[in-house]
Structure formats: structure tokens, C-alpha cells
Amino acid sequence: MKIFETIILGAGASGSICAIQAKRRNIDIAVIDKNSKIAKKILVTGNGRCNLTNTFYENKNVYNTDITNFLSIFSYENTLKFFNSIGLEVINQNGWIYPISNSAKSVVEVIENEFCRLEIPCYLENEITEIKYENDFFCITTNKDYFKCKKLIFALGGNNINLLNNFNVQYDTFSPSLCALKTKENLKNLQNIRIDNVKVYAKDSNGNTDYEVGEVLFKEHGLSGMCIFNLSTLFARNNKFEGEISIDLMPNLNKNELYEYLKNRASKLNIDINHFFDGLFNRQIGYYILNKLSLDETKSCKTLNDSTLKNIAFLIKNLTFHVIDNYDNNQVFSGGICLKNLSSNLEYKAIKNLYFCGEICNVDGKCGGYNLQWAWTSGYIVGSNL
């Protein structure tokens, strides 16, 4: 048995900064994690580059709850100062902050170095099997050991909430977010095609809407890419992955301008219809549009009449797919412990000495470093108030 004043469950982003901040204050603390490495999940953030934070964090609309008060305590500026203090150099790319090495490994390495410098006890490859509260102690059983502590910080992801079954903790249902979306349409012929500078609209089954501008990646049975990941939050918060995704392939032109453009293009190109989009879109996307209209592709472009050109223009502006599910590659979870149930120090109001930070809280944002900023912010606040 190992006894500490405070134990952090989870050595991810929020758990790591929480441990460092607490240890700097000479708190008797230990960390338990099932992985073989501290901050392992950070390695896959930002496509392996780790988007640490974003200078536009103040736009609270990227979150599903108001965290302004928390960010006033530990903002993106504080995040930059913290990582500078442990040796990380960063670069600002239009407000998106990355390590200057362009590698998430650098972030993990400086965190590991600080753990070593502070001599933080870290019990890795310990998978938690049960948590109980007995005689004023939180009792944690893992596959390897048994731990006790007076204060417990839960810094595990949303898929571990079942570990708190003995505590009757209230939380909103978890739903995968920042993920690819499965569609009713089979997109095998478009698989691995990437399009950029498009405007993408989403509508969930309740009629809620949102949109993004950027890139989309086609998968065999669905859609991915930055726009889709960000729009998946709309479905996640509805906790139902049903609705529509509509892509405007040429958002720089309105429907009338596009019609005139296509009319002019058809009149000057002396080629068959099946090559009408060559030089404009990826050929497979052109074929997909033409097949939707069931056109005779062997005829000349000059045979395209006004009605057909208007239908083509409509599809270019409204290439619609029906969402039926999500892929299991979500980066975060929507849902979790509501902030209204936590104090300003992120202590659970109904259970003394039980704290929450990171993804387990019902705070999630879009891509761009917002979710990691919440991890740094919440972890720091808990580590500063034990």
C-alpha cells in the first residue's frame, strides 16, 4: 500500500501540469496512469505537432460553456510562460501555437524533465480498477498496487467515468467529438481526395446548424478533415450523429455568378461533358457531380442547356451528404462534469477533496489548441489550490 496526501489519476495534459504546479508548492503528491509514458496522449495532438494553445482563446463561442473566469486565472499567455519556464520554445502560426521543433515529442520531453527535476512519484502502467472512500481516505486499487490519499484529482478522460460509480457523481452524457463522420452515401470513388477552401454546412437532426471554411477529406464511407472535425461538435452536443453535411465547392461565387461562369465555360470548351470539370475540380469529384445528374457524358459541353447548368451550379454549391454515425477516432469527448457542480477551484461541491480537471469536465472546443488550453488551465488551477 502507498499513501500520499494527494493523488492525481491521469498523467495527460491536465494531470501533468497539475502535478508540476502542486509539487512546486511542496504538496505531497503522486500520479497514477495506465500508460507507459507521461503525457502520452499529447504525442498524437495536432497531427503529431501539438497545438499547445491559441491566442484567440477569448472567443468563448468555441466552448459549450463559459470558462472566462478560469481563463482569467490561467490564459494562453500563462501557458506560454509555463512552457518557457521548463525549456520549450514555441512558434506562433496565425494564432495557433506550436513547439518550434514542430514535434509533440518536444512537449512531452520537457514535461518529463520537469517531473524528474521535481522528483514527482509517477506510477505508470497502473490501470485503475476501483475507487472507494473509506475512513476519510480515497482508496484506489490498480492492477499492480493499492493507494490511499486524502485528496483525489480525477484527470482521466470521459471514457473512464465509470470508475466513479461509487460516488454518485452527476455528469452530462459523454459523446465523441472532433471526429470523422460516417455518411449514408458510399464515397469509395472519392476516397482519400482532399479539397480545400470550401465552405461546409452542418445540420443536426434537431435543425441546429453550423458552418466551417477550410478542408475536407473524403473517406470510403464518410468525411474527415478539419472542417468535419469541428462540425462534429454540433452532432456531439446533440448526442446523436444524424443530419446533413453540405459542401459549397466554390464559396467565392454566389449561385447566379456560378451559373454565368459555368455557362461561359460550356460555351468555350470544345470537349465532352465528362471532362467539363477538368482543371476546376479533382476529376473524381467532377464525375460524382455528373453521375448525380445522370448526364450523357459522351455529349459535348455545348449541349448543356440552361436548366442543366443551373442544376450543376446547385450541386456545386450544395453537395450534400447524410450523416448516420461517427468514426471511432475522436480527439475529445463532449459531456462530463458540469462546471456548475464544481467550485472555482474545480472541487466537486458535493464531495469534499474530490477535484476534476481536463477532458472529464463538460468543456470542449474545436480544433486549434482550445481543448489543450482548457487542460492547462484546469490542471493549473487545481494544482494551485490543493
Side-chain angles (χ1 to χ4, degrees):
M1 178 190 297
K2 296 177 175 61
I3 302 176
F4 295 91
E5 176 66 22
T6 304
I7 288 178
I8 299 173
L9 304 182
S14 63
S16 294
I17 193 172
C18 180
I20 291 170
Q21 179 61 13
K23 193 64 174 180
R24 285 177 175 180
R25 298 175 54 242
N26 296 316
I27 302 294
D28 177 36
I29 199 163
V31 180
I32 301 174
D33 195 283
K34 68 178 181 180
N35 292 310
S36 60
K37 191 178 186 67
I38 296 169
K40 185 176 180 180
K41 191 175 179 180
I42 291 176
L43 292 173
V44 298
T45 60
N47 290 323
R49 297 173 61 203
C50 187
N51 187 184
L52 278 170
T53 185
N54 197 302
T55 61
F56 300 109
Y57 74 94
E58 68 272 15
N59 182 3
K60 66 181 182 181
N61 292 325
V62 300
Y63 297 100
N64 59 358
T65 190
D66 189 352
I67 62 169
T68 304
N69 291 340
F70 297 101
L71 289 171
S72 68
I73 298 170
F74 196 84
S75 67
Y76 81 87
E77 292 104 332
N78 299 110
T79 296
L80 299 182
K81 289 177 183 177
F82 169 80
F83 278 102
N84 180 261
S85 75
I86 61 176
L88 186 73
E89 299 295 334
V90 302
I91 185 171
N92 185 332
Q93 297 182 353
N94 299 316
W96 296 38
I97 307 298
Y98 294 93
I100 200 168
S101 66
N102 214 31
S103 173
K105 289 182 180 180
S106 295
V107 181
V108 175
E109 287 166 355
V110 295
I111 290 174
E112 287 178 327
N113 292 344
E114 190 67 0
F115 263 65
C116 290
R117 187 186 74 80
L118 294 171
E119 298 181 345
I120 299 174
C122 194
Y123 298 90
L124 300 175
E125 298 181 320
N126 270 257
E127 185 151 6
I128 301 160
T129 57
E130 187 179 39
I131 305 171
K132 296 189 296 184
Y133 190 74
E134 297 176 346
N135 301 320
D136 297 327
F137 278 92
F138 291 97
C139 305
I140 304 111
T141 304
T142 75
N143 60 324
K144 290 185 176 181
D145 218 327
Y146 184 72
F147 302 82
K148 294 177 69 174
C149 61
K150 288 286 190 178
K151 296 181 179 181
L152 183 66
I153 297 118
F154 201 93
L156 298 169
N159 53 342
N160 293 286
I161 191 69
N162 61 299
L163 291 172
L164 292 173
N165 286 344
N166 293 329
F167 296 86
N168 194 31
V169 169
Q170 302 299 306
Y171 63 93
D172 288 342
T173 303
F174 287 94
S175 181
S177 189
L178 296 189
C179 57
L181 301 174
K182 293 183 179 180
T183 60
K184 179 180 179 181
E185 294 78 10
N186 186 309
L187 304 178
K188 185 175 182 179
N189 291 334
L190 299 178
Q191 188 175 3
N192 296 325
I193 292 174
R194 189 183 301 273
I195 53 178
D196 206 349
N197 302 312
V198 295
K199 193 170 186 178
V200 187
Y201 299 88
K203 182 169 70 173
D204 69 16
S205 57
N206 288 336
N208 301 307
T209 61
D210 198 359
Y211 74 91
E212 287 282 322
V213 176
E215 68 166 19
V216 172
L217 174 66
F218 291 94
K219 299 168 72 72
E220 182 177 358
H221 300 290
L223 303 166
S224 186
M226 185 75 76
C227 283
I228 301 303
F229 270 49
N230 283 339
L231 291 172
S232 71
T233 63
L234 182 71
F235 300 97
R237 289 166 190 170
N238 188 28
N239 201 29
K240 191 175 184 181
F241 285 85
E242 292 181 4
E244 291 182 352
I245 291 289
S246 182
I247 302 174
D248 183 348
L249 295 170
M250 299 184 70
N252 57 315
L253 299 176
N254 63 39
K255 62 180 182 179
N256 293 326
E257 291 170 336
L258 179 56
Y259 162 72
E260 291 297 335
Y261 170 81
L262 294 174
K263 184 177 180 180
N264 179 61
R265 184 178 177 85
S267 67
K268 73 179 182 180
L269 292 178
N270 189 24
I271 56 176
D272 291 344
I273 291 174
N274 65 333
H275 293 297
F276 183 58
F277 294 110
D278 289 2
L280 185 60
F281 303 131
N282 179 288
R283 180 172 287 183
Q284 292 304 119
I285 292 177
Y287 287 163
Y288 186 85
I289 293 171
L290 295 174
N291 287 337
K292 293 276 285 186
L293 296 171
S294 301
L295 297 178
D296 184 349
E297 300 173 8
T298 64
K299 289 186 176 181
S300 170
C301 290
K302 297 184 185 298
T303 65
L304 293 170
N305 58 35
D306 284 355
S307 176
T308 301
L309 288 170
K310 287 179 180 178
N311 288 337
I312 292 174
F314 178 82
L315 278 180
I316 290 174
K317 301 290 289 182
N318 302 274
L319 196 59
T320 301
F321 305 93
H322 298 87
V323 177
I324 57 173
D325 204 350
N326 68 284
Y327 280 85
D328 295 329
N329 62 340
N330 58 300
Q331 295 186 8
V332 298
F333 280 94
S334 180
I337 310 296
C338 291
L339 295 187
K340 67 180 182 180
N341 293 327
L342 303 176
S343 71
S344 59
N345 299 331
L346 297 175
E347 180 181 15
Y348 196 68
K349 292 177 180 178
I351 303 175
K352 186 175 177 58
N353 294 326
L354 177 62
Y355 298 79
F356 294 90
C357 59
E359 188 182 328
I360 193 69
C361 300
N362 191 6
V363 177
D364 64 284
K366 296 181 179 181
C367 299
Y370 302 107
N371 292 292
L372 269 181
Q373 181 57 53
W374 170 247
W376 310 132
T377 294
S378 57
Y380 177 88
I381 289 173
V382 173
S384 300
N385 292 280
L386 295 170

